[in-house]
Amino acid sequence: MIKKTILTHYGFGMCSCVHCGEKRIECLSIDHIKGDGRKHRFSINKQGHVLYVWLKNNNYPEGYQTLCMNCQWIKRFEKNEVNRYALG
């Protein structure tokens, strides 16, 4: 399964959140460390499964990490990566 392969690579050899250790694959996703995920996904026109394929085909570029969705949202708020106006 490519998702598990990618998450394990960006989880430093573990298929888990690099922040809290969450292991349930349903909770895990790729995080753009610099917070430019939306811009990047639109520039390469890829998201979801296709993003995993892109990461593999591009030799696992730097700038990504495996986070659970809770840690990803916390990071977005702490680093001001969320457009607060979109939240209502």
Side-chain angles (χ1 to χ4, degrees), residues 40-71:
H40 177 246
R41 285 189 306 277
F42 278 107
S43 74
I44 63 170
N45 196 26
K46 300 192 182 341
Q47 58 187 6
H49 177 78
V50 182
L51 176 61
Y52 297 130
V53 173
W54 183 90
L55 290 167
K56 183 178 178 186
N57 290 343
N58 284 275
N59 299 311
Y60 303 95
E62 293 182 13
Y64 304 89
Q65 62 185 347
T66 299
L67 289 180
C68 70
M69 292 309 294
N70 282 339
C71 288

Side-chain angles (χ1 to χ4, degrees), residues 23-39:
K23 293 182 180 353
R24 290 175 289 178
I25 197 164
E26 303 85 3
C27 300
L28 301 174
S29 65
I30 290 297
D31 173 64
H32 290 70
I33 293 172
K34 293 182 180 177
D36 57 353
R38 181 183 170 137
K39 181 180 176 183

